[in-house]
Amino acid sequence: MTSKYIAIKAKDGQELLFTFPDTVMHLHMLEAVRHVKQGVPANWVRPYRDAECVGAGFVMDGRCYGLSTSLDVKSRHDVDTALLARGSQT
């Protein structure tokens, strides 16, 4: 089964990878991630508001590849695959 992903770089330099169904556009997922709130209601922040999308594409068999036409961002293949593997090691 194929899914999509975006890799973002937060203001603190941390890179995170988000996977999602292939029915969702990369652009729409990036917009959603940038609106994520963290913290308590009286003191929340949007930690990814200014996040840069550094990689995007598809995931199949645990490997990242391809590109996002809606973001005009390519997969970083091995770098993004390593981020994917790191996130699944819990």
Side-chain angles (χ1 to χ4, degrees), residues 50-90:
D50 299 318
E52 173 189 4
C53 184
V54 293
F58 299 86
V59 177
M60 183 184 285
D61 298 327
R63 303 282 305 160
C64 296
Y65 68 95
L67 61 95
S68 163
T69 55
S70 63
L71 292 173
D72 194 27
V73 175
K74 295 179 182 178
S75 173
R76 302 177 300 167
H77 306 285
D78 293 338
V79 173
D80 294 341
T81 297
L83 277 175
L84 177 67
R86 186 182 75 201
S88 64
Q89 295 174 355
T90 55

Side-chain angles (χ1 to χ4, degrees), residues 6-65:
I6 57 170
I8 64 163
K9 186 172 189 175
K11 286 190 289 188
D12 64 3
Q14 180 182 17
E15 291 190 3
L16 302 165
L17 189 135
F18 297 86
T19 60
F20 49 97
D22 63 1
T23 56
V24 177
M25 287 180 62
H26 290 97
L27 175 63
H28 296 163
M29 184 63 179
L30 180 59
E31 289 173 355
V33 167
R34 286 179 171 163
H35 284 89
V36 167
K37 296 178 184 177
Q38 287 184 336
V40 296
N43 192 25
W44 58 265
V45 295
R46 287 196 170 123
Y48 312 122
R49 176 182 292 257
D50 299 318
E52 173 189 4
C53 184
V54 293
F58 299 86
V59 177
M60 183 184 285
D61 298 327
R63 303 282 305 160
C64 296
Y65 68 95

